[in-house]
Amino acid sequence: MRILVVDDDSLNRFLLMHMLEQQGYTDTLEAEDGETAIKVAEQFQPDLILLDVIMPGMDGYEVAKILKCNAGDIYLPIIFITGLDNESALVKCLEVGGDDFVAKPFDKVVLSAKIRAHARTRQLSRKAYEQNKQLTFYQNAIEREHQIVEHIFSNALATDDFYTEYIDHCLEPATDFNGDLFLACASPAGGFYFLIGDFTGHGLASAIGAIPVSQAFQAMSKKGLSLMEMAETINQILLPLLPDEMFFAALIVEVSSTGKHIDVWNGGMPALLLQDTNGEIINRYESRHMALGILDKSEFESEVERSEIEYGQRLIGFSDGIVELQKTSGEMLGDSGFENWLIEKPDIDIKGLLTKAEGYLAGEERQDDVTMVIYTSQKLAPVTKVTEESKLPLKIISNIIPEYMRVSDPIIELVNIMTNELGLFAIHSELFTILSELYNNALEHGLLNLDSSLKESDDGFLEYYSLREEKLRTLENAFIEITIEYFPEQKKLGIQLVDSGKGFDLVRAAAHTSIENSYGRGISLVKELCESVNYSNHGNIVNVIYKL
């Protein structure tokens, strides 16, 4: 510990220096006046100063002010050694920056005790100063990193701005970074996609998965992929990326070029609401799947809900941050409370809903991110330029054997070949749906002889797919031949599937295609999308004409 002794009396300085040396303080300095003391203190940075009050020129009061000012944020103890004993003089010692005083002649024991006490305070102050410096450094570094990350996020998550014409939305983070995600992209078919997502938690850790999801979503949207492919792809991206305790709840919606037909995939998000023009909630597209980033490929389910809505009806999607708004009393808004806001004012917009939320919280802070989206069904202007289709006729024949059926999905590859090579991005989603339904029908009923009636119960669903997996594992000497022929002048595709199975009862299969059933609707959907669908040879052959 370095101590500076300031006194114009050389005898006093000697006595103090000698006393300090006896106490083990060997690193000592001395100054005979105030000006010298200031220069010595500036050069050698003492840890404690013993200062006389009455000195020629600059007195101790003035010196103390300057020394304290120069010390900055680190505590520099100043102990006045004074012969003054009147109250006003002692008070002034403290007012000018002194921390203590000892009367002359000084008591060695008392002075030593005070030096030790102030030395401890000095050490604590120095430690706190160093810690504050480190904290300031880290804080500045974090702020800079946040600025960089925000810049990356703002560019990586940028989406088409066409949707502002059709979609009213908000994305309100609870902290600097958002665990919620909203994306919208035009479809090459003339409609558009939008995605509402919610990573576990909020803040930077929960937002980090937004970049790969956004990049994948935009790339798939430009290719016109189906929601099934989107959900499967995003799940495969997140599965190795996210830690075990994290997942990504997501609602993905595709709106057709008419603005009326919608496909919905909901995994772990609140129900997408359909509201009519009178304000009534007429449909709820509930979550039917696990959130993304949890199940592996063999367990993952990607089926979508398809429906038609009327012009003027509204789709309202939202993250759980809005329905989980909570007052200090513990009362939570809930799904019913949020729906009441919509019913009370059928034309309420996002701004109005946010105002309702603020009023509900009555000044309390939100604890979670809030995302809301409203799409009002309407005629859409073309939002993208459809890629010019190839003029080259093309015919593809693919013979799929059991070994390949067990390890891969041939439909994705076939659809990618047709759409990528021929510029048919606008039909990717529908072509995938058609081929998937036809292929699964040929595999499950033609080759594996499975009965769809097993799906009439939840346990039956599990039994059906367990049986499917078991039969597929032992399937031998079988094939499904897929032929796709492109007729550019007629703007049509001819599709044929032939399987080597025993066939199935066409009449019975048709009886299971009721829309009310939870199964057996695939062929009805294919018929709805295609110009013609014809089964022959006991169901082993199906010919389809699809008009572009």
Side-chain angles (χ1 to χ4, degrees):
M1 182 178 183
R2 182 172 294 170
I3 299 175
L4 172 60
V5 176
V6 185
D7 199 311
D8 63 314
D9 189 322
S10 59
L11 178 59
N12 284 340
R13 293 200 305 277
F14 174 78
L15 293 173
L16 285 170
M17 299 281 280
H18 182 67
M19 186 272 300
L20 292 172
E21 187 176 352
Q22 287 181 328
Q23 297 295 322
Y25 300 109
T26 56
D27 190 5
T28 55
L29 305 165
E30 59 179 302
E32 61 185 9
D33 56 45
E35 291 182 359
T36 304
I38 293 169
K39 291 178 182 178
V40 171
E42 185 176 348
Q43 184 176 359
F44 295 101
Q45 300 295 313
D47 297 304
L48 183 142
I49 298 173
L50 301 177
L51 180 61
D52 187 21
V53 176
I54 306 300
M55 293 185 296
M58 189 181 294
D59 64 21
Y61 299 133
E62 191 174 352
V63 174
K65 287 182 180 180
I66 296 172
L67 291 173
K68 279 288 189 180
C69 181
N70 293 344
D73 295 329
I74 301 177
Y75 171 68
L76 175 62
I78 297 177
I79 301 177
F80 279 103
I81 308 296
T82 177
L84 302 174
D85 58 0
N86 62 79
E87 185 177 312
S88 60
L90 298 178
V91 169
K92 189 173 182 181
C93 286
L94 300 177
E95 289 177 345
V96 298
D99 300 288
D100 212 333
F101 51 84
V102 176
K104 293 181 180 179
F106 57 84
D107 186 307
K108 294 181 181 180
V109 176
V110 172
L111 180 56
S112 296
K114 291 190 175 187
I115 289 173
R116 288 194 295 272
H118 287 289
R120 288 194 297 270
T121 306
R122 165 78 171 180
Q123 286 299 105
L124 290 172
S125 175
R126 185 185 294 278
K127 186 176 181 180
Y129 175 77
E130 293 299 327
Q131 289 175 339
N132 285 337
K133 276 180 62 177
Q134 291 181 357
L135 287 173
T136 301
F137 172 79
Y138 289 130
Q139 184 177 9
N140 291 337
I142 289 171
E143 287 178 358
R144 175 58 180 157
E145 288 174 359
H146 277 202
Q147 290 173 358
I148 294 170
V149 173
E150 285 176 4
H151 176 77
I152 294 172
F153 269 52
S154 63
N155 286 280
L157 302 184
T159 60
D160 301 341
D161 57 5
F162 77 91
Y163 64 81
T164 55
E165 197 174 332
Y166 307 116
I167 297 177
D168 188 14
H169 89 287
C170 72
L171 191 63
E172 298 286 329
T175 58
D176 290 341
F177 292 98
N178 205 341
D180 279 10
L181 184 64
F182 169 71
L183 300 169
C185 285
S187 160
F192 63 89
Y193 305 89
F194 69 85
L195 177 150
I196 307 170
D198 184 3
F199 283 95
T200 310
H202 50 266
L204 180 57
S206 62
I208 204 69
I211 293 178
V213 170
S214 174
Q215 298 297 301
F217 177 79
Q218 292 178 59
M220 291 187 289
S221 297
K222 289 175 182 177
K223 291 185 176 182
L225 268 60
S226 68
L227 297 195
M228 295 173 67
E229 293 171 282
M230 286 188 172
E232 288 176 352
T233 301
I234 295 173
N235 184 68
Q236 288 303 109
I237 290 172
L238 294 179
L239 197 58
L241 179 67
L242 298 181
D244 292 341
E245 68 275 10
M246 280 189 69
F247 54 82
F248 180 54
L251 170 69
I252 315 175
V253 178
E254 180 180 4
V255 178
S256 71
S257 58
T258 65
K260 297 176 67 176
H261 293 87
I262 62 168
D263 285 354
V264 179
W265 188 93
N266 190 345
M269 289 290 287
L272 175 71
L273 305 178
L274 178 62
Q275 183 181 32
D276 67 14
T277 52
N278 296 319
E280 184 181 351
I281 306 300
I282 57 175
N283 198 359
R284 296 173 179 82
Y285 300 89
E286 303 282 355
S287 171
R288 295 190 175 185
H289 305 285
M290 293 283 284
L292 300 168
I294 298 175
L295 301 176
D296 61 32
K297 187 174 182 179
S298 63
E299 300 172 307
F300 189 78
E301 295 180 352
S302 56
E303 291 77 13
V304 303
E305 289 186 76
R306 177 173 281 112
S307 61
E308 181 176 354
I309 62 179
E310 300 297 326
Y311 289 139
Q313 293 179 344
R314 307 200 308 170
L315 288 174
I316 299 102
F318 48 92
S319 63
D320 58 10
I322 187 68
V323 295
E324 292 179 0
L325 292 176
Q326 193 168 8
K327 296 181 178 180
T328 52
S329 62
E331 180 185 352
M332 190 176 289
L333 177 63
D335 294 314
S336 59
F338 180 70
E339 289 185 18
N340 284 338
W341 290 353
L342 299 171
I343 295 168
E344 289 167 3
K345 190 177 181 183
D347 61 345
I348 191 169
D349 58 9
I350 294 295
K351 185 177 180 181
L353 290 170
L354 289 174
T355 301
K356 284 274 195 182
E358 290 176 5
Y360 184 83
L361 290 174
E364 292 295 318
E365 290 187 3
R366 283 185 292 104
Q367 299 302 310
D368 198 1
D369 308 317
V370 168
T371 301
M372 291 184 287
V373 174
I374 297 177
Y375 163 66
T376 302
S377 180
Q378 59 194 283
K379 291 183 179 180
L380 305 180
V383 292
T384 56
K385 293 181 180 179
V386 178
T387 305
E388 187 174 349
E389 299 155 356
S390 173
K391 305 300 182 186
L392 178 68
L394 182 68
K395 185 175 184 178
I396 295 176
I397 301 175
S398 178
N399 191 281
I400 301 161
I401 59 177
E403 286 80 356
Y404 192 79
M405 297 174 193
R406 286 190 278 266
V407 298
S408 187
D409 184 349
I411 302 306
I412 292 177
E413 294 184 46
L414 286 172
V415 172
N416 285 336
I417 291 171
M418 295 300 297
T419 56
N420 292 344
E421 297 301 323
L422 300 177
L424 302 176
F425 297 114
I427 69 165
H428 187 112
S429 179
E430 288 191 355
L431 182 59
F432 177 82
T433 300
I434 293 166
L435 283 174
S436 292
E437 294 295 346
L438 295 176
Y439 174 77
N440 287 327
N441 194 62
L443 174 63
E444 294 173 5
H445 304 304
L447 299 185
L448 304 181
N449 297 310
L450 294 171
D451 187 351
S452 290
S453 62
L454 281 174
K455 300 180 184 178
E456 290 178 353
S457 66
D458 292 340
D459 291 339
F461 258 95
L462 294 174
E463 182 183 352
Y464 183 91
Y465 286 105
S466 295
L467 193 58
R468 181 188 190 275
E469 185 176 347
E470 180 184 339
K471 286 192 171 188
L472 182 57
R473 189 167 56 248
T474 57
L475 183 66
E476 300 290 344
N477 301 319
F479 69 85
I480 296 176
E481 185 180 272
I482 302 177
T483 304
I484 307 174
E485 191 167 3
Y486 173 53
F487 305 99
E489 291 187 2
Q490 300 172 353
K491 291 188 176 297
K492 291 182 179 181
L493 287 179
I495 302 171
Q496 183 185 74
L497 270 79
V498 179
D499 69 72
S500 61
K502 298 178 181 178
F504 58 91
D505 188 338
L506 296 174
V507 176
R508 185 182 178 195
H512 287 304
T513 60
S514 168
I515 193 169
E516 284 79 19
N517 288 339
S518 59
Y519 60 90
R521 292 173 291 184
I523 302 306
S524 293
L525 176 59
V526 172
K527 290 180 177 178
E528 183 181 327
L529 295 174
C530 296
E531 187 176 273
S532 65
V533 178
N534 294 301
Y535 273 93
S536 59
N537 194 35
H538 302 291
N540 294 109
I541 301 174
V542 58
N543 287 282
V544 169
I545 299 296
Y546 174 77
K547 189 173 183 180
L548 303 183

